[in-house]
């Protein structure tokens, strides 16, 4: 990875890896009890950087902070005010955000276990280790002055990593690839086909994003950083960059009703096990094994591979399936990543682009309805929790223990990346020309005010007549969530050392 | 075919009574900013020809202390003639309108309501209609048609999938005929186009073409000088793109995303000097010719999500008002614009004070995504009352429903066409 050594030692390891080798993990949500002790602990915390990952690790630690956490550490207002509006307001910070994200009804923040008011965490600690080392690693991390510094709000358990999410599907199959080397080319002509490469600035602050611009972040007066702990901002060299090598971390605890999911599908297909699996795969948009429903596209896709699993699982787009005959338009993975380009398929060359831009070519009704994907990507780093069981076991067990996903994603612009994908594509009620349906897998079923419920899932068929399922129950419920800042290591030291 | 029109009544507000007015306007809403269609003051839902309407206080939020007194604006989009619609309004809800307009400086208890509205009617410089000729009645009838078809298919889901597409379509046609017979569905045939409308439209198109042709030599000759001056200005014009205040964002957010569609109102100063003003006059004239003659069937260039939009000059051309009704959330709307028609946004909005830097009027600008979004949000107004005649429906839904109706009414269809039709239902 051609990252300069100073940056590799500065970027938290979670950006590079979900630590697949470390199959045990605990997520700690903390509140700061004593600011001085918390700062002292933070300064000495054994945080894992990207550079550490060049050698195998037995335990890793990453740290992220909420806006409330930064306030509790008495970050100067000048620094705080430089963070994005979404981060400052918080995931549950205003009703209009909740409405957009689908955090309504059973998902509403006032029902969350954590993430609001006195249950708002200040810090998130992500600990990963091999199963036999986990307890030791936790003891190491909770070194003095831990006890005086923090109170533990939640200690979130995770299931031993087995690559399958609780419904049984292979998970974490598709991730964007960060283009560490490239200078992003914002021109449309460079994006005529889908690419899985994204500009570094889409994931990390302080680098150019897909527009070739630097996302807003806290840039400080040198007076606030007399020891010059922080690097100069690339776009404003006279200011010190608190955001550089950091990013936003979105955390949502999503409870999955595994029994409810399989029972509903089983009932829908009259108990036929094969049909049940096929329906589940249509809802997800992949086979249970992770294989795509669509065949490989002709050429290679930039940013997919060289890993052979990655090539097998991700060498496809939806271009050849514009009507959703193979993978339904509303399938989960199609909503989460529509795999389109800046221009509709078949737009090649300057003249064709010009005519397209001017809207002077004939367009079919359904053409060009979805925004360009490359501005709406994120790195996913979630882990499952609870009892994992097979569909058959889930069907038999009426009141199963709780299971779900600690959804974690990293991005540089919460509003344009996480909130857009969650709000416009997953919870959105009019994605890609569909009417009155939200994501069949993860979304709530509330309709619009005064309208019918949105528990519909439409599957187009080659024969013509759509297959349509109505009355989908809600399978996933939000139990908590918050927006965090995952700082670079230098920024973390600066935050720990500031004296307000 | 019934063409659509814009209407807008705009008059200076008596600022001293603003808080009272805002309270009155809130009484017209059910959810924040969302008009109650049956509200006691102006029951929008009772007007069969009304697509969208809004009441908004126009103030230059970015102008600070130099801002002139705000306007009260009542605007909307209707089927048929706009002036005739003002007549209808004045006749049917005089009391409510009098109460609202009573907060304007020059509106007295004895004022003739219709005359006053006509005196304060403010035409747009550019007006966009998503689908010229599609009436509210048509939208509602076609939405009911699709809902009935979906329900019929659900009811007969056990047997229909085994039938060939042709047979299914035949049954749907028979079902629709029976429903119409029973008075449960109606599909009114379009009324005839107002006399002279087609002719005026053709003459207008020809006039624009001729005018451009006649102007072409002068435009070409003047172009180098124009570009030199433009580049000078583009290099020296200040970008003013601070982040919008959190309270302003919260106020805007509170009235958004209650439906699949949202309203957008923005108001700001045009850069001083005749250069920018005449640039805008020319460009908005050209854009208006394209929306009148080219972009009349569901898309504004590449953008399919705008129902109606307009640009209006105010204060003798010192300020510009933009209003639109669009699908999705504001962030996705702005993303769509930035990625699909940044050049178009730049052409017009770069003549506004503080806009992100452009090159040659079309490059850059909105492509500076965050600055552009800040610029837009800072100039966006909190629309007090917003009405949409067909909640829950996107512009795409409307076009699809029309296509479904066309397929029901078509005399013959090929096998492939029939399958496509069934996929739409």
């Amino acid at each position: 990875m051609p990252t300069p050594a100073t940056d590799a030692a500065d970027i938290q390891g979670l950006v590079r890896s979900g630590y697949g080798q470390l199959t045990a993990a605990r997520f700690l949500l903390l509140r700061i009890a004593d600011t001085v002790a918390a700062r002292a602990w933070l300064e000495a915390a054994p945080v894992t950087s990207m550079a550490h990952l060049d050698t195998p690790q037995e335990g890793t630690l990453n740290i992220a902070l909420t806006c409330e956490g930064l306030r509790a550490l008495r970050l100067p207002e000048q620094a705080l005010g430089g963070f994005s509006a979404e981060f400052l307001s918080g995931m549950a910070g205003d009703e209009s955000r909740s409405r957009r994200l689908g955090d309504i009804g059973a998902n509403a923040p006032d029902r969350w276990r954590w993430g609001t008011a006195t249950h708002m965490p200040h810090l998130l600690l992500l600990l990963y280790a091999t199963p036999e080392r986990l307890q030791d690693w936790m003891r190491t991390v909770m070194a003095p002055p831990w006890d005086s510094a923090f109170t533990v709000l939640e200690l979130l358990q995770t299931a031993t990593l087995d690559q399958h999410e609780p419904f049984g599907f292979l998970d974490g199959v598709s991730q964007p690839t960060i283009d560490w080397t490239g200078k992003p080319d914002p021109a449309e002509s460079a994006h005529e086909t889908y690419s899985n490469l994204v500009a570094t600035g889409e994931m990390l602050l302080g680098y150019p994003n897909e527009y070739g611009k630097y996302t807003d972040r806290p840039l400080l007066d040198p007076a606030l950083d007399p020891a010059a702990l922080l690097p100069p901002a690339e776009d404003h060299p006279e200011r010190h960059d608190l955001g550089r090598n950091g990013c936003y971390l979105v955390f949502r605890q999503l409870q999955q009703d595994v029994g409810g999911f399989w029972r509903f599908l089983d009932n829908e297909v009259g108990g036929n096990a094969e049909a049940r699996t096929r329906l589940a795969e249509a809802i997800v948009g992949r086979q249970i094994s992770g294989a795509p429903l669509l065949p490989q596209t002709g050429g290679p896709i930039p940013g997919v591979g060289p890993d052979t699993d990655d090539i097998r699982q991700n060498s496809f787009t939806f271009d050849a399936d514009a009507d959703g005959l193979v993978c339904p338009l509303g399938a989960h993975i199609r909503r989460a990543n529509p795999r389109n380009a800046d221009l509709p398929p078949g737009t090649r060359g300057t003249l064709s682009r010009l005519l397209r831009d001017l809207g002077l070519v004939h367009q079919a009704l359904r053409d060009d309805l979805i925004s360009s994907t490359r501005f709406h990507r994120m790195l996913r780093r979630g882990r499952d929790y609870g009892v994992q069981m097979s569909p058959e076991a889930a069907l038999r067990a009426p009141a199963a223990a709780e299971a779900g996903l600690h959804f974690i994603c990293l991005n540089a612009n919460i509003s344009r990346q996480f909130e857009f994908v969650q709000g416009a594509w997953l919870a959105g009620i009019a994605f890609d020309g569909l009417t009155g349906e939200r994501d069949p897998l993860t979304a709530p079923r509330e309709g619009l005010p005064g309208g019918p419920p949105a528990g519909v899932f439409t599957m187009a068929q080659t024969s013509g007549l759509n297959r349509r399922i109505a009355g989908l129950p809600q399978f996933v419920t939000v139990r908590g969530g918050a927006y965090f800042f995952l700082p670079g290591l230098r920024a973390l030291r600066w935050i720990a050392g500031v004296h307000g | 075919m019934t063409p659509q029109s814009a209407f807008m009544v705009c008059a200076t507000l008596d600022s001293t009574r603003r808080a009272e007015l805002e309270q009155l306007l809130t009484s017209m809403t059910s959810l924040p900013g969302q008009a109650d269609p049956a509200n006691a003051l102006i029951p929008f839902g009772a007007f069969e020809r009304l697509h969208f309407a809004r009441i908004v206080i126009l103030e230059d939020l970015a102008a600070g202390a130099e801002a002139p007194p705000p306007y009260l604006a009542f605007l909307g989009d209707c089927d048929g003639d706009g002036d005739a619609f003002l007549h209808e309004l004045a006749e049917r809800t005089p009391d409510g309108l009098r109460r609202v307009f009573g907060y304007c400086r020059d509106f007295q208890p004895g004022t003739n309501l219709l005359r006053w509205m006509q005196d304060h009617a403010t035409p747009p410089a550019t007006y966009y209609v998503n689908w010229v000729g599609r009436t509210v009645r048509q939208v509602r009838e076609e939405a009911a048609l699709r809902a009935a078809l979906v329900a019929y298919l659900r009811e007969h889901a056990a047997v229909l999938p085994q039938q060939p597409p042709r047979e299914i379509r035949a049954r749907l046609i028979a079902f629709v005929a029976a429903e119409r017979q029973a008075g449960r569905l109606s599909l009114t045939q379009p009324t005839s186009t107002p006399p002279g409308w087609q002719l005026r439209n053709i003459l207008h198109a020809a006039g624009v073409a001729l005018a451009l042709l006649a102007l072409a030599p002068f435009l070409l000759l003047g172009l180098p000088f124009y570009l030199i001056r433009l580049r000078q200005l583009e290099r020296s014009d200040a970008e003013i793109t601070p982040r919008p205040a959190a309270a302003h964002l919260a106020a805007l957010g509170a009235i958004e995303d209650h439906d699949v569609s949202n309203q957008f109102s923005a108001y700001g100063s045009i850069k001083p000097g005749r250069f920018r003003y005449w640039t805008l006059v020319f460009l908005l004239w050209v854009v208006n010719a394209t929306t009148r003659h080219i972009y009349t069937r569901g898309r504004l260039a590449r953008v399919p999500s705008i129902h109606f939009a307009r640009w209006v000059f105010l204060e003798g051309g010192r300020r510009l008002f933009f209003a639109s009704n669009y699908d999705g959330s504001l962030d996705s709307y702005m993303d769509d614009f930035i990625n699909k028609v940044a050049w178009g946004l730049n052409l017009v909005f770069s003549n506004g004070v503080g806009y992100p830097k452009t090159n040659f009027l079309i490059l850059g600008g909105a492509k500076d995504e965050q600055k552009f979004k800040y610029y837009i949000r800072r100039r966006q107004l909190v629309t007090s009352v917003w009405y949409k005649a067909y909640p829950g429906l996107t512009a795409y839904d409307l076009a699809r429903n029309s296509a479904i109706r066309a397929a029901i009414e078509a005399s013959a269809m090929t096998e492939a066409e029939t399958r496509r039709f069934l996929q739409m239902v």
Side-chain angles (χ1 to χ4, degrees):
Chain A
M1 198 167 301
T3 317
T6 47
D7 287 318
D10 195 35
I11 300 167
Q12 295 207 40
L14 193 64
V15 174
R16 168 157 159 192
S17 165
Y19 305 123
Q21 306 302 315
L22 306 175
T23 54
R26 292 285 182 277
F27 302 140
L28 276 66
L29 299 171
L30 308 176
R31 279 184 75 88
I32 292 170
D34 179 309
T35 309
V36 177
R39 282 187 186 149
W41 183 87
L42 276 174
E43 281 212 87
V47 181
T48 309
S49 77
M50 213 159 97
H52 286 128
L53 304 185
D54 292 337
T55 52
Q57 301 286 310
E58 286 194 322
T60 63
L61 168 69
N62 290 118
I63 298 180
L65 307 97
T66 58
C67 172
E68 285 73 7
L70 294 172
R71 281 222 163 84
L73 289 168
R74 306 212 185 99
L75 210 72
E77 271 307 313
Q78 188 206 112
L80 214 51
F83 287 98
S84 70
E86 315 83 76
F87 176 73
L88 295 175
S89 156
M91 186 186 284
D94 97 69
E95 216 179 297
S96 112
R97 168 162 298 107
S98 299
R99 198 158 59 231
R100 266 184 293 123
L101 297 181
D103 294 345
I104 48 178
N107 285 352
D110 56 14
R111 300 189 179 192
W112 290 0
R113 290 175 191 156
W114 60 272
T116 61
T118 53
H119 285 77
M120 172 60 83
H122 289 156
L123 258 69
L124 164 67
L125 264 53
L126 306 117
L127 290 94
Y128 302 82
T130 53
E132 56 278 8
R133 282 275 300 141
L134 184 67
Q135 290 305 322
D136 280 353
W137 178 234
M138 284 180 68
R139 268 192 293 278
T140 309
V141 167
M142 293 174 172
W146 174 274
D147 289 329
S148 54
F150 307 113
T151 53
V152 177
L153 193 64
E154 293 272 345
L155 198 165
L156 301 173
Q157 311 272 342
T158 68
T160 305
L161 187 66
D162 69 348
Q163 315 285 347
H164 290 80
E165 54 73 52
F167 292 136
F169 283 79
L170 192 74
D171 198 18
V173 169
S174 168
Q175 298 275 8
T177 303
I178 299 180
D179 185 2
W180 294 98
T181 49
K183 247 196 105 49
D185 183 349
E188 274 176 3
S189 53
H191 302 277
E192 284 180 344
T193 56
Y194 170 67
S195 164
N196 194 45
L197 278 177
V198 296
T200 314
E202 289 295 299
M203 300 303 158
L204 288 177
L205 296 166
Y207 297 82
N209 60 24
E210 282 290 325
Y211 288 104
K213 304 286 178 187
Y214 291 83
T215 304
D216 269 5
R217 61 210 186 277
L219 303 180
L220 308 182
D221 273 348
L224 279 175
D225 180 26
L229 211 52
L230 301 170
E234 279 185 6
D235 49 340
H236 293 281
E238 75 289 357
R239 323 250 310 159
H240 293 202
D241 193 342
L242 183 61
R244 172 89 181 182
N245 290 330
C247 63
Y248 293 106
L249 182 153
V250 176
F251 195 126
R252 281 161 85 77
Q253 182 176 351
L254 306 175
Q255 184 182 341
Q256 296 176 239
D257 181 5
V258 179
F261 178 75
W262 287 110
R263 275 195 300 277
F264 177 82
L265 299 190
D266 194 60
N267 186 49
E268 196 61 39
V269 298
N272 179 320
E274 203 200 315
R276 183 178 69 216
T277 303
R278 275 206 308 274
L279 181 54
E281 291 177 338
I283 285 175
V284 172
R286 278 189 190 273
Q287 295 177 22
I288 289 204
S289 67
L293 300 181
L294 287 145
Q296 287 203 359
T297 46
I301 293 174
V304 173
D307 178 76
T308 49
D309 281 342
D310 191 22
I311 290 173
R312 192 167 46 79
Q313 290 164 343
N314 288 305
S315 297
F316 71 97
T317 68
F318 301 106
D319 290 358
D321 184 35
D323 296 318
L325 296 171
V326 184
C327 178
L329 300 177
H332 176 70
I333 71 153
R334 203 161 170 153
R335 288 174 173 266
N337 179 5
R339 295 172 181 253
N340 65 357
D342 282 12
L343 293 144
T347 315
R348 292 290 164 88
T350 313
L351 180 65
S352 157
R353 212 165 50 239
L354 185 68
L355 291 175
R356 225 4 132 165
D357 279 343
L358 291 172
L360 297 179
V361 280
H362 171 76
Q363 307 214 85
L365 198 54
R366 291 208 48 259
D367 280 359
D368 207 11
L369 291 178
I370 306 176
S371 302
S372 179
T373 301
R374 69 184 169 112
F375 303 103
H376 313 290
R377 302 299 305 277
M378 52 215 179
L379 289 168
R380 291 175 305 136
R381 295 290 184 249
R383 291 254 175 148
D384 314 327
Y385 70 93
V387 180
Q388 313 288 304
M389 52 187 165
S390 67
E392 290 72 22
L395 281 169
R396 283 193 305 270
E402 182 178 334
L405 171 69
H406 294 307
F407 171 89
I408 295 171
C409 79
L410 309 180
N411 55 196
N413 186 332
I414 299 175
S415 138
R416 174 161 62 77
Q417 295 168 274
F418 165 72
E419 287 189 351
F420 184 97
V421 172
Q422 175 64 29
W425 287 351
L426 291 172
I429 207 161
F431 173 77
D432 200 10
L434 296 166
T435 302
E437 19 190 310
R438 304 180 194 258
D439 180 27
L441 191 67
T442 66
R445 306 303 179 212
E446 275 80 5
L448 295 165
V456 177
F457 178 53
T458 303
M459 290 163 278
Q461 309 287 315
T462 11
S463 60
L465 201 57
N466 290 323
R467 179 175 174 204
R468 184 169 283 139
I469 293 179
L472 281 178
Q474 184 169 336
F475 301 126
V476 173
T477 308
V478 186
R479 293 298 183 198
Y483 291 151
F484 295 88
F485 173 54
L486 183 82
L489 267 64
R490 288 174 292 189
L492 185 62
R493 279 203 301 281
W494 182 84
I495 290 167
V498 280
H499 300 292
Chain B
M1 192 268 288
T2 307
Q4 282 60 48
S5 313
F7 68 88
M8 173 165 169
V9 178
C10 182
T12 307
L13 182 67
D14 175 3
S15 312
T16 58
R17 296 163 65 213
R18 179 169 176 170
E20 201 185 313
L21 168 67
E22 283 177 354
Q23 220 170 0
L24 181 73
L25 296 178
T26 304
S27 78
M28 300 171 71
T29 59
S30 47
L31 289 164
Q34 318 298 298
D36 172 359
N39 77 83
L41 286 178
I42 308 172
F44 300 105
F47 292 85
E48 258 222 319
R49 302 200 283 132
L50 184 62
H51 289 257
F52 288 87
R54 76 183 73 184
I55 301 176
V56 56
I57 296 170
L58 306 188
E59 56 185 330
D60 191 338
L61 298 172
E66 295 154 31
Y71 292 112
L72 175 64
F74 173 42
L75 56 145
D77 310 281
C78 64
D79 295 321
D81 181 60
D83 186 59
F85 192 73
L86 290 185
H87 275 268
E88 196 183 328
L89 276 168
E91 201 164 294
R92 292 175 59 186
T93 60
D95 299 344
L97 288 168
R98 283 184 169 280
R99 278 195 68 188
V100 173
F101 291 135
Y103 290 88
C104 295
R105 278 186 185 169
D106 65 347
F107 193 92
Q108 307 302 328
T111 302
N112 178 320
L113 176 65
L114 178 62
R115 273 280 287 287
W116 184 88
M117 289 202 294
Q118 286 169 328
D119 287 345
H120 291 83
T122 315
T126 299
Y127 186 48
Y128 170 72
V129 177
N130 178 278
W131 198 286
V132 174
R134 187 171 56 207
T135 62
V136 176
R137 181 171 197 167
Q138 182 187 346
V139 166
R140 289 182 174 153
E141 288 180 351
E142 288 169 357
L145 170 68
R146 176 174 184 268
L149 293 177
V150 169
Y152 178 85
L153 291 177
R154 187 174 302 151
E155 222 169 282
H156 298 82
V159 287
L160 279 181
Q162 286 84 45
Q163 306 294 325
R166 213 176 277 273
E167 171 62 24
I168 300 173
R169 176 167 170 261
R171 289 200 192 185
L172 291 176
I173 290 172
F175 163 68
V176 171
E179 289 296 286
R180 293 181 68 175
Q181 196 82 51
R184 284 187 291 266
L185 279 181
S186 63
L187 293 171
T188 312
Q189 288 310 306
T191 51
S192 57
T193 307
W197 188 87
Q198 304 280 20
L199 183 66
R200 277 201 304 278
N201 223 28
I202 292 168
L203 285 177
H204 181 267
V208 170
L210 281 175
L212 282 175
L213 211 61
L215 282 172
F218 303 101
L219 291 177
L220 274 177
L221 274 176
L223 191 63
F225 303 101
Y226 180 87
L227 288 179
I228 288 168
R229 180 71 187 133
L230 176 70
R231 290 301 296 148
Q232 268 179 352
L233 289 173
E234 287 186 327
R235 283 195 203 96
S236 62
D237 284 346
E239 269 183 353
I240 310 169
T241 53
R243 286 167 57 158
H248 183 56
L249 289 179
L252 293 170
I255 59 167
E256 284 170 3
D257 300 310
H258 293 280
D259 183 62
V260 287
S261 307
N262 278 305
Q263 50 66 37
F264 179 82
S265 307
Y267 187 50
S269 299
I270 297 167
K271 286 171 179 168
R274 278 177 305 176
F275 183 88
R276 292 293 188 174
Y277 173 71
W278 285 108
T279 298
L280 258 182
V281 168
F282 177 73
L283 287 172
L284 287 176
W285 175 72
V286 173
V287 174
N288 191 55
T290 64
T291 56
R292 183 162 170 183
H293 302 294
I294 300 173
Y295 305 126
T296 58
R297 284 287 179 272
R299 285 178 206 254
L300 180 56
R302 274 182 74 197
V303 177
S305 52
I306 305 171
H307 292 263
F308 292 90
R310 74 179 83 190
W311 277 285
V312 186
F313 282 113
L314 286 167
E315 284 202 52
R318 279 192 298 280
R319 289 189 165 76
L320 194 64
F321 172 58
F322 175 74
S324 68
N325 303 286
Y326 64 94
D327 298 325
S329 71
L330 188 81
D331 274 304
S332 52
Y333 179 54
M334 290 194 289
D335 278 321
D336 235 17
F337 265 88
I338 296 167
N339 299 329
K340 289 179 173 169
V341 285
W343 58 273
L345 290 175
N346 292 344
L347 273 179
V348 176
F349 286 113
S350 71
N351 300 296
V353 170
Y355 192 80
K357 264 195 192 322
T358 46
N359 297 315
F360 298 100
L361 222 49
I362 54 170
L363 302 174
K367 288 283 183 186
D368 201 338
E369 173 231 355
Q370 270 193 309
K371 282 184 185 166
F372 171 74
K373 287 178 178 173
Y374 293 163
Y375 174 89
I376 289 291
R377 277 294 202 188
R378 274 191 79 227
R379 279 156 187 78
Q380 191 187 349
L381 303 170
V382 179
T383 298
S384 307
V385 181
W386 179 63
Y387 170 75
K388 178 187 176 194
Y390 23 86
L393 297 176
T394 62
Y396 170 82
D397 290 334
L398 304 188
R400 181 207 47 210
N401 294 350
S402 292
I404 289 173
R405 183 230 189 113
I408 287 287
E409 290 179 340
S411 50
M413 281 183 118
T414 65
E415 185 85 13
E417 284 168 345
T418 310
R419 273 202 298 270
R420 290 198 98 27
F421 153 65
L422 289 175
Q423 280 165 8
M424 283 192 290
V425 184

